[in-house]
């Protein structure tokens, strides 16, 4: 019954948003803001006088997956934007180097790194013409403008428009970075036809294999499907759902068979061939990168996402999704982490009620205490640190729980 009341309230809230006569305004405002940011990024990347332009050099040498690499570039771009330097990427040692350039447009129309100019190390100074920025793990102290933060001059408009402006902002950076070439648009259109991608559809990303070694817990398919079912129950309140669908993306191909066997009432959209290219030893091939782009594309186009935010891949799909809707901040369910950006500055929460510990694992709170939340355990508790007492708390004994 609680579930029904909850869904009914959500339906009322979404109906309010439809009848308040602002939906057209929201759409327009979102497009205007997006154009504004995209133009700024384009201007930054194409300075009128290239010879005197200040540049920020980022080397792509991180040994990690696509999502992790892309977020590294996002971090570089945010630093470039905040310091008003043109971003130049050094693809030389990058696993995706050539393939990337075949799939996406370059960051700048023509010019790249200035030749015969000395390169200063971060933070350099105002006069440095080129500054080399290391990965975020090696930058200390961290600049204040790293996520989760948004440009001051957009803040007022964004907070009116969007439920989580930070994700919108990162989504805009990703949008610029992933501007597809014509051939990539054709590839995505072909896949849309081949896979018969249509709405309503829930994007389900299930990350397994190497991620389960130390970075995330295993979640069964059924755990994801509970949230998919909830989405469709909610959807049925506003009209009939003729066919329930999921777009399944995973690095574990056997899940396609499991999904078809256990959920025959669902249309399972997606490709187990793509999934096979996601195995650890194939990941750096052109095939695998194309497959990955296809998966991310359709996940982001879905009506709702069910995944684990411990995976960078799903966070990217969610970021892109937020560049497609005026506000997609509630179109996800994460089975583990809350949204975060790797290497981010503290995102603080303030205690509005006091709390006395019930056991040795919890922490005391006083009204006004600043709390850094590491992760949500979805049992009503989070792991957090009280910056006043410096104590870290959980709801229960964390040993053996793999709590993040
Ligand atoms: P994370 O490790 O999940 O945080 O994300 P990364 O993107 O950094 O690394 C995971 C890598 O696994 C990706 O870059 C892909 O190569 C592969 N992968 C994981 N899940 C999928 C999936 O659903 N589809 C495809 N095509 N590849 C995947």
């Amino acid at each position: 019954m609680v579930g029904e009341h909850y869904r009914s309230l959500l339906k009322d809230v979404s109906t309010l948003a439809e009848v308040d006569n602002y939906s057209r305004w929201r759409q327009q405002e979102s497009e205007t803001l997006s154009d504004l940011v995209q133009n700024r990024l384009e201007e930054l990347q194409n300075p009128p006088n290239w010879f005197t332009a200040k540049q920020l050099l980022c080397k792509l040498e991180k040994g990690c997956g696509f999502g992790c690499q892309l977020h590294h570039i996002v971090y570089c771009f945010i630093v470039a934007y905040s310091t008003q330097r043109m971003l130049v990427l050094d693809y030389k040692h990058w696993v995706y180097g050539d393939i990337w350039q075949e799939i996406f447009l370059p960051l700048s129309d023509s010019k790249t790194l200035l030749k015969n100019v000395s390169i200063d190390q971060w933070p350099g100074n105002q006069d440095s013409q080129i500054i080399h920025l290391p990965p975020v793990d090696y930058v200390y102290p961290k600049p204040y403008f790293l996520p989760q933060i948004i440009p001051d001059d957009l803040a007022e408009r964004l907070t009116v428009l969007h439920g989580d402006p930070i994700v919108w902002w990162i989504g805009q950076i990703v949008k610029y970075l992933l501007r597809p070439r014509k051939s990539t648009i054709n590839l995505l259109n072909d896949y849309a036809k081949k896979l018969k991608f249509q709405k309503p559809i829930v994007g389900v990303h299930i990350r397994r294999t190497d991620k389960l070694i130390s970075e995330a817990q295993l979640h069964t398919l059924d755990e994801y499907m509970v949230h998919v079912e909830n989405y469709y129950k909610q959807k049925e309140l506003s009209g009939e759902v003729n066919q329930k669908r999921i777009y399944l993306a995973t690095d574990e191909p056997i899940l396609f068979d499991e999904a078809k066997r256990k959920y025959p009432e669902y249309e399972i959209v997606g490709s187990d061939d793509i999934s096979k290219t996601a195995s650890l030893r194939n990941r750096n091939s052109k095939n695998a990168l194309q497959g990955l782009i296809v998966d991310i594309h359709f996940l982001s186009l879905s009506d709702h996402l069910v995944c684990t935010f411990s995976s960078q891949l799903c966070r990217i799909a969610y970021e892109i999704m937020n560049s497609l809707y005026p506000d997609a901040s509630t179109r996800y369910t994460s089975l583990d982490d809350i949204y975060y950006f790797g290497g981010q500055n503290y995102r603080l929460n303030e205690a509005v009620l006091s709390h006395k510990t019930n056991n040795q694992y919890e922490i005391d709170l006083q009204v006004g205490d600043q709390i850094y939340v590491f992760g949500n355990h979805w049992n009503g508790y989070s792991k957090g640190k009280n910056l006043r007492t410096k104590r870290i708390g959980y709801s229960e004994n964390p040993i053996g729980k793999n709590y993040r």
Side-chain angles (χ1 to χ4, degrees):
M1 276 177 69
V2 171
E4 273 175 33
H5 281 296
Y6 179 65
R7 283 191 285 277
S8 152
L9 283 169
L10 282 185
K11 179 184 176 289
D12 284 351
V13 172
S14 62
T15 311
L16 277 178
E18 280 158 30
V19 299
D20 70 359
N21 281 333
Y22 279 100
S23 57
R24 248 196 80 184
W25 174 83
R26 275 192 283 268
Q27 187 64 42
Q28 271 169 1
E29 176 72 347
S30 139
E31 283 165 20
T32 314
L33 280 168
S34 174
D35 290 348
L36 179 72
V37 171
Q38 295 303 310
N39 289 340
R40 281 184 189 176
L41 296 177
E42 197 169 336
E43 276 171 24
L44 185 70
Q45 286 309 110
N46 297 288
N49 195 346
W50 178 63
F51 293 104
T52 56
K54 300 270 162 56
Q55 297 191 326
L56 185 77
L57 172 65
C58 248
K59 296 190 178 168
L60 302 174
E61 306 175 316
K62 279 188 103 163
C64 55
F66 175 83
C68 161
Q69 309 259 3
L70 182 60
H71 277 137
H72 171 57
I73 307 179
V74 170
Y75 142 77
C76 293
F77 216 175
I78 288 176
V79 175
Y81 178 88
S82 308
T83 55
Q84 283 298 291
R85 289 175 172 271
M86 171 187 178
L87 176 64
V88 180
L89 298 177
D90 179 351
Y91 297 95
K92 229 180 299 148
H93 305 289
W94 202 30
V95 279
Y96 294 120
D98 299 336
I99 320 170
W100 171 280
Q101 297 182 72
E102 277 177 42
I103 298 182
F104 303 112
L105 293 172
L107 294 192
S108 303
D109 287 343
S110 55
K111 308 279 195 272
T112 52
L113 196 69
L114 290 160
K115 301 260 159 33
N116 307 323
V117 174
S118 65
I119 300 177
D120 292 347
Q121 287 307 308
W122 175 263
N125 60 56
Q126 288 263 315
D127 300 325
S128 312
Q129 190 156 15
I130 305 179
I131 295 177
H132 167 228
L133 179 70
V136 69
D137 326 65
Y138 303 107
V139 169
Y140 190 81
K142 286 194 189 141
Y144 75 92
F145 43 71
L146 289 189
Q148 303 197 7
I149 202 166
I150 51 172
D152 204 18
D153 68 330
L154 303 179
E156 210 175 307
R157 290 171 73 182
L158 271 178
T159 39
V160 170
L161 181 73
H162 202 276
D164 196 345
I166 287 144
V167 183
W168 184 92
W169 167 238
I170 294 174
Q172 288 300 316
I173 306 272
V174 173
K175 179 177 174 180
Y176 189 90
L177 290 172
L178 300 189
R179 289 169 312 152
R181 286 191 186 275
K182 188 89 195 4
S183 53
T184 310
I185 297 175
N186 293 340
L187 173 88
L188 296 174
N189 288 341
D190 289 348
Y191 262 101
K193 279 196 211 122
K194 194 163 113 189
L195 299 174
K196 301 197 182 69
F197 184 86
Q198 55 179 311
K199 295 192 171 194
I201 195 159
V202 176
V204 177
H205 175 236
I206 306 185
R207 181 76 165 95
R208 291 268 172 93
T209 64
D210 56 316
K211 192 75 179 177
L212 304 186
I213 298 171
S214 64
E215 292 182 15
Q217 273 179 310
L218 181 133
H219 294 278
T220 61
L221 173 65
D222 302 340
E223 288 178 75
Y224 291 80
M225 291 307 286
V226 168
H227 300 288
V228 176
E229 274 291 294
N230 277 343
Y231 174 82
Y232 281 111
K233 277 191 196 144
Q234 170 79 42
K235 182 106 187 136
E236 274 159 5
L237 290 181
S238 341
E240 216 179 304
V241 175
N242 290 329
Q243 175 64 56
K244 294 193 280 189
R245 278 181 210 94
I246 59 167
Y247 181 87
L248 181 60
T250 175
D251 54 341
E252 187 80 286
I254 50 164
L255 284 172
F256 279 87
D257 283 343
E258 186 180 335
K260 282 177 194 152
R261 188 165 32 83
K262 284 191 171 164
Y263 297 93
E265 73 280 25
Y266 276 84
E267 215 171 274
I268 313 293
V269 184
S271 155
D272 53 350
D273 282 341
I274 290 183
S275 185
K276 283 174 197 151
T277 66
S279 71
L280 203 49
R281 66 195 145 81
N282 295 331
R283 274 183 199 165
N284 297 339
S285 67
K286 180 171 178 184
N287 237 358
L289 183 59
Q290 277 183 341
L292 185 52
I293 301 304
V294 171
D295 273 349
I296 291 178
H297 177 71
F298 290 115
L299 287 173
S300 69
L301 281 183
S302 302
D303 297 299
H304 191 85
L305 261 177
V306 180
C307 61
T308 46
F309 269 172
S310 56
S311 170
Q312 311 233 26
L313 200 148
C314 188
R315 296 206 305 276
I316 283 177
Y318 176 59
E319 287 154 3
I320 299 174
M321 185 186 239
N322 275 281
S323 71
L324 302 175
Y325 292 89
D327 179 5
S329 60
T330 57
R331 288 179 180 267
Y332 77 92
T333 309
S334 165
L335 271 59
D336 56 13
D337 288 345
I338 46 176
Y339 178 81
Y340 69 97
F341 187 89
Q344 69 186 24
N345 281 317
Y346 274 7
R347 186 182 206 185
L348 297 176
N349 290 258
E350 195 174 299
V352 291
L353 291 173
S354 60
H355 177 73
K356 270 252 146 279
T357 53
N358 295 308
N359 60 43
Q360 67 191 100
Y361 307 110
E362 295 182 8
I363 48 175
D364 282 335
L365 303 179
Q366 280 175 14
V367 173
D369 278 354
Q370 299 214 300
I371 315 297
Y372 174 61
V373 176
F374 294 87
N376 196 345
H377 298 151
W378 306 112
N379 60 356
Y381 291 86
S382 293
K383 174 182 172 184
K385 179 176 182 178
N386 187 332
L387 297 193
R388 178 178 57 85
T389 61
K390 310 271 182 292
R391 279 186 52 91
I392 292 181
Y394 309 81
S395 60
E396 55 186 341
N397 187 347
I399 292 173
K401 294 278 180 191
N402 194 13
Y403 276 166
R404 298 162 63 82

